[in-house]
Amino acid sequence: MNNQQQSLQGILSIAALICLAVGWFNLFTPEINHLLSRKVFYILIGASFFIQAPMLTNKNFVYGMYAAAGICVIGAFLPESSNLAWVKTLGLLAGIILSLSNRNR
């Protein structure tokens, strides 16, 4: 199961990066670019963090990774005009930091 989880997590991460690149390079209409790079990207990253959480070797980071995943997904659904729209970026940064902190040295 662990190998399948890693594969799924990798696929989600690559799909998220593709969504981000599409938005940066304006490959579609402005509405589609915005949806992919500002909404779908964070949903996919949140899903990737959620799948990665139980695989963390430092069990102290598991709940933090779940929180980062939830913040990314919830933040993706907040309107851009909201004062809380920045929380999705906070979730992304927290997930990246937790993921990098978990790496073997």
Side-chain angles (χ1 to χ4, degrees):
M1 183 73 167
N2 196 12
N3 207 11
Q4 287 178 331
Q5 285 177 310
Q6 286 178 330
S7 295
L8 181 57
Q9 194 249 339
I11 291 167
L12 289 172
S13 296
I14 291 169
L17 290 174
I18 290 170
C19 287
L20 192 59
V22 164
W24 280 346
F25 295 114
N26 296 315
L27 299 178
F28 299 110
T29 65
E31 295 81 17
I32 298 294
N33 291 331
H34 182 269
L35 177 70
L36 290 174
S37 66
R38 303 247 174 108
K39 304 286 183 191
V40 176
F41 167 76
Y42 285 100
I43 293 167
L44 291 173
I45 286 294
S48 174
F49 289 164
F50 185 80
I51 291 169
Q52 184 182 5
M55 294 186 293
L56 295 175
T57 55
N58 186 340
K59 296 306 173 192
N60 295 326
F61 294 161
V62 171
Y63 292 114
M65 187 62 89
Y66 282 130
I71 291 169
C72 283
V73 173
I74 290 168
F77 290 101
L78 294 174
E80 293 292 321
S81 60
S82 168
N83 288 338
L84 296 175
W86 57 271
V87 298
K88 62 187 175 196
T89 305
L90 179 67
L92 173 66
L93 291 175
I96 291 171
I97 290 168
L98 288 170
S99 181
L100 292 176
S101 301
N102 191 62
R103 302 269 179 206
N104 291 335
R105 293 169 202 224

